[in-house]
Amino acid sequence: MQIRVGFNLLLRCERATPMIVILGVHESRASDLLEADPLQLLPKVPCQAYIDTYGNHCNRLLAPAGPMRLRGTGLVADRGLPDPVLPWLEQQPVEQLPDHALLFLLASRFCESDLLTNFAWSQFGQVAEGWQRVQAICDFVYQHVRFDYNRSSPTKSALQTFESRVGVCRDFAHLAIALCRCMNIPARYCTGYLSDIAVLPPHSAIDFSAWFEAYLGQGWHVFDPRNNTPRIGRILIARGRDAADVALTTSFGPSVLESFEVWAA
């Protein structure tokens, strides 16, 4: 299966503003790129690529005062299979976890696991460890939180989502991640494209999507508390502790997103 992915964003800055952009298909899917998806800037400005702490491909640039358009499109080969469901996978004791997973047990900017620990243990402490426990957390978040595009903000945290019971996919992921970390399950935030392949209509407009990966068995596995069902055509852009690590654009000064278009089909 081939999936055409891409984006078209229009930003406006009050003055020349340094910026970090994370919008390309992740290195883990590089071998699947049939057509590369380089970042295109209008007006053209110098752009420096680098790899961040989490292995994400980033670009740094100085956005000019006024409007700037960011574009990119690529063609990705995909297996066309839904997310794997592996209920036999076990949870590793903290003392046996690999070093690289330990960071994803800690509270972070948007995932205040330290403030949700008592609730998490009372709610999930009797659930079998491993895949079943992570799925129980996803079920809870899916049932507890109502999706509403108009009821979120860039600063909304897992605790705020837990209390307000409403949010977008980013908020669903943050709450599930925080609850997993409470239960000593490493969890990391993911952002990327998610197609509507094999999803019954009506379809909402395609947007960048958020999900998470939990460390079970000997590796990382996808969970999606927003949709809470295996999906086809999930294409990763970036991973981190939470959305603060993988913002699509981070501006070091005032900026406004004036228009936003995403496709994955």
Side-chain angles (χ1 to χ4, degrees):
M1 174 182 292
Q2 297 181 2
I3 302 176
R4 172 69 62 181
V5 299
F7 57 89
N8 186 357
L9 281 63
L10 180 62
L11 296 171
R12 184 178 295 273
C13 298
E14 295 180 5
R15 60 185 65 86
T17 303
M19 189 172 291
I20 297 171
V21 177
I22 307 178
L23 282 167
V25 171
H26 193 267
E27 176 64 23
S28 62
R29 299 298 301 266
S31 62
D32 296 328
L33 277 172
L34 303 176
E35 295 177 10
D37 63 334
L39 177 64
Q40 303 168 40
L41 302 172
L42 187 66
K44 294 183 179 180
V45 296
C47 188
Q48 178 185 345
Y50 72 97
I51 305 295
D52 71 8
T53 303
Y54 306 101
N56 301 315
H57 285 274
C58 309
N59 288 281
R60 57 186 302 183
L61 56 98
L62 183 64
M68 183 178 72
R69 190 169 296 278
L70 295 82
R71 296 173 176 165
T73 186
L75 187 64
V76 183
D78 191 81
R79 297 181 305 158
L81 299 175
D83 303 320
V85 177
L86 308 171
W88 57 86
L89 288 182
E90 298 179 350
Q91 178 179 338
Q92 298 295 323
V94 173
E95 64 272 19
Q96 295 180 20
L97 286 169
D99 294 343
H100 68 81
L102 295 176
L103 174 65
F104 299 101
L105 285 177
L106 306 180
S108 59
R109 166 68 177 85
F110 292 114
C111 299
E112 315 102 316
S113 49
D114 50 336
L115 302 180
L116 287 162
T117 297
N118 290 340
F119 168 80
W121 279 96
S122 67
Q123 182 75 21
F124 307 110
Q126 303 307 311
V127 179
E129 293 186 353
W131 190 281
Q132 289 84 353
R133 182 171 282 178
V134 180
Q135 186 57 58
I137 289 171
C138 290
D139 292 343
F140 169 81
V141 174
Y142 180 75
Q143 295 161 9
H144 182 82
V145 182
R146 176 174 58 85
F147 186 86
D148 188 337
Y149 266 119
N150 299 314
R151 295 290 300 278
S152 187
S153 77
T155 59
K156 192 170 188 177
S157 71
L159 181 61
Q160 292 170 327
T161 300
F162 176 76
E163 293 174 342
S164 69
R165 302 172 67 100
V166 65
V168 295
C169 58
R170 170 186 187 273
D171 306 313
F172 283 69
H174 282 154
L175 179 53
I177 289 168
L179 293 172
C180 282
R181 292 176 183 172
C182 290
M183 305 306 296
N184 298 329
I185 302 167
R188 61 190 186 185
Y189 182 92
C190 300
T191 187
Y193 299 98
L194 182 58
S195 79
D196 284 330
I197 295 169
V199 176
L200 296 175
H203 298 147
S204 59
I206 292 288
D207 193 353
F208 289 116
S209 188
W211 60 91
F212 76 98
E213 294 172 343
Y215 192 87
L216 297 170
Q218 301 299 318
W220 296 95
H221 303 276
V222 166
F223 289 88
D224 183 350
R226 159 65 180 102
N227 297 291
N228 207 30
T229 189
R231 292 285 293 269
I232 296 171
R234 193 183 300 276
I235 299 170
L236 181 69
I237 289 177
R239 302 185 180 104
R241 293 168 300 176
D242 57 33
D245 290 331
V246 296
L248 302 174
T249 61
T250 301
S251 60
F252 299 90
S255 67
V256 176
L257 178 61
E258 294 194 338
S259 66
F260 184 88
E261 182 184 8
V262 180
W263 55 91

